Amino acid sequence: MGELNMYRQLGVKPNFTQIGKKYGLHRQTVAKYWNQGEEIEDHRRDKESAFDGFRDVIEQKAVIPGVTKKAIHEFLLDRYPEAGLPKYGSFTKYCRSRGIECADAPEPEAHPRFETPPGRQLQFDWKENLELVDVNGEVFEFNVFSAVLGYSRAHRFVYSRTRTEDDLLACLLATFVRFGGIPEEAITDNMSAIVTFSGGKRVKSERAWRFAREAGFELKLCRRQTPQTKGKDESANRFVNRLKAYDHDFEGEQGIIDAIARIEARSNAEPNETTGLPPAVLFMKEKELLRPIGNLRMLQEMIGGVDDQVVPPTMLVRAAGRQWSVPRSCIGKKVNVVTMPSGQVRVTLDGEEVAVHDAASASGPIVYAEDHYVEAMEGKSWFADADIREAARANLELLDQLGGD
């Protein structure tokens, strides 16, 4: 029933000025509807929303299994920064008014709140077996190392192709370098990278626990679904689910890495549901209570062989008798090259990992990552009218053949 008809049934004359303000009409117009026994046509919802221009994108993302409205909103802010889109609350109202619902997600597990003082605890885990398809139809299977400081909820997300012990220790060290210190303890579950089972007994990796002792933190294994365990890191993994919105909307492995970095930055900048403050704010207090890293070189050497090199214009560094590529932005800068026992080659610049290569999956004496080679070819006049990525792949095949018979 319309508003004017309600007044008619009650036998009460309405305030035409007040109703006019409500519907964006002049009081005389409202009086005309009243006197003619008509009802007001409410056109307020006919007003175009800022999200209407992206409705097709929103509906496409909403059908992705597991994707959330938050993930879609973050994706829109990232992809269309010039649009000046409203905040998340307006987005949820828009979706409700347009009947847009996200695909069903798995029922979440319960994780009771358990607080820790600043500097005490880091929780970490893997977000395993993720899969995304880029704009060229190429399928990428990968993992994300996820860590969160217990007090501030400061997050750290690291892309990783595999989940070996080499990967885990490298990600932990990269996390400590990013945070600028080490907590008293780091807890996780019985991940295969550091624990194996033999005869029904749990066998801990001596290498991982020795690394923890030298770094100055206690490595703990938690029991599943207990308040003291890693509920905060499970919560942090919800941020990683925002990656689902990037399916078919990135190019190459670097595109995934860039998306993860943006998600990490946003998750540290937005208010936490429990604390009411952005993790970045509370981290300023927690950072003061983290333990100093100490001998970084020694910790790197515990992970693998270490070498410092200045990157030449070829964008190649040397390790394990071969040459490995790094991003173009590293040219002329000193990088840290770590050769892992598994054959991985990990390169960092100012404490941030910039390249990871796996000797087992590479051939030839010169190994370029495709994204690095594309970077090197961009701007070359002889590729101006060609598909640079296809040309890069053709040249990389020729380089691979250098190591053949």
Side-chain angles (χ1 to χ4, degrees), residues 155-188:
H155 305 294
R156 179 76 168 115
F157 300 133
V158 184
Y159 174 91
S160 183
R161 296 173 195 159
T162 55
R163 305 190 310 275
T164 66
E165 188 174 41
D166 284 354
D167 296 313
L168 176 63
L169 296 183
C171 287
L172 275 173
L173 185 56
T175 298
F176 296 149
V177 171
R178 168 67 69 83
F179 288 151
I182 298 175
E184 295 177 21
E185 63 183 28
I187 67 173
T188 189

Side-chain angles (χ1 to χ4, degrees), residues 28-225:
Q28 281 85 354
T29 304
V30 178
K32 177 182 177 181
Y33 282 121
W34 173 261
N35 294 328
Q36 294 179 353
E38 298 178 358
E39 187 53 73
I40 295 174
E41 295 183 19
D42 189 356
H43 293 288
R44 289 176 298 171
R45 293 194 177 186
D46 295 341
K47 182 180 179 182
E48 184 177 356
S49 167
F51 294 108
D52 279 333
F54 307 98
R55 181 163 181 170
D56 288 346
V57 177
I58 295 169
E59 291 179 339
Q60 289 170 8
K61 299 299 180 185
V63 299
I64 300 175
V67 79
T68 62
K69 290 180 181 177
K70 185 66 173 178
I72 299 173
H73 184 249
E74 291 288 343
F75 174 81
L76 294 174
L77 294 179
D78 176 36
R79 281 289 187 263
Y80 311 104
E82 72 288 346
L85 295 173
K87 294 183 179 180
Y88 178 61
S90 299
F91 179 67
T92 58
K93 291 179 182 178
Y94 172 81
C95 290
R96 284 197 300 270
S97 68
R98 302 305 194 273
I100 300 173
E101 295 294 336
C102 290
D104 292 335
E107 188 69 23
E109 296 181 11
H111 290 288
R113 299 293 184 188
F114 187 84
E115 297 305 314
T116 53
R120 169 70 62 82
Q121 187 181 94
L122 178 85
Q123 300 178 7
F124 66 94
D125 199 3
W126 290 109
K127 192 69 172 176
E128 305 175 1
N129 304 322
L130 300 175
E131 182 178 295
L132 290 178
V133 182
D134 78 351
V135 294
N136 300 311
E138 186 172 355
V139 179
F140 290 84
E141 298 177 354
F142 61 99
N143 312 277
V144 173
F145 172 83
S146 170
V148 60
L149 286 171
Y151 174 76
S152 64
R153 273 73 168 182
H155 305 294
R156 179 76 168 115
F157 300 133
V158 184
Y159 174 91
S160 183
R161 296 173 195 159
T162 55
R163 305 190 310 275
T164 66
E165 188 174 41
D166 284 354
D167 296 313
L168 176 63
L169 296 183
C171 287
L172 275 173
L173 185 56
T175 298
F176 296 149
V177 171
R178 168 67 69 83
F179 288 151
I182 298 175
E184 295 177 21
E185 63 183 28
I187 67 173
T188 189
D189 56 19
N190 296 315
M191 59 173 57
S192 59
I194 56 176
V195 175
T196 57
F197 288 87
S198 178
K201 295 183 178 181
R202 187 170 63 182
V203 181
K204 299 178 181 179
S205 163
E206 172 56 29
R207 182 184 174 206
W209 263 261
R210 181 162 50 86
F211 174 82
R213 288 194 300 271
E214 294 296 338
F217 70 93
E218 184 179 1
L219 182 58
K220 289 185 174 181
L221 299 177
C222 64
R223 291 187 296 111
R224 289 178 58 83
Q225 299 180 356

Side-chain angles (χ1 to χ4, degrees), residues 70 74 155 239 242 263 265-273 277-280:
K70 185 66 173 178
E74 291 288 343
H155 305 294
F239 289 110
R242 299 181 186 182
I263 291 171
R266 288 188 183 278
S267 66
N268 285 324
E270 61 189 28
N272 178 269
E273 293 180 1
L277 293 172

Side-chain angles (χ1 to χ4, degrees), residues 241-303:
N241 286 335
R242 299 181 186 182
L243 273 174
K244 296 178 185 292
Y246 286 86
D247 200 30
H248 293 89
D249 274 290
F250 69 96
E251 184 171 14
E253 186 176 59
Q254 190 59 45
I256 301 176
I257 296 172
D258 292 342
I260 292 172
R262 287 190 290 268
I263 291 171
E264 178 187 297
R266 288 188 183 278
S267 66
N268 285 324
E270 61 189 28
N272 178 269
E273 293 180 1
T274 301
T275 66
L277 293 172
V281 173
L282 290 178
F283 176 69
M284 299 307 295
K285 177 180 179 180
E286 184 158 29
K287 184 177 181 179
E288 296 176 356
L289 296 174
L290 294 174
R291 299 172 177 178
I293 294 177
N295 193 334
L296 178 60
R297 183 78 175 196
M298 179 192 68
L299 295 178
Q300 290 173 330
E301 290 175 347
M302 291 184 69
I303 296 176

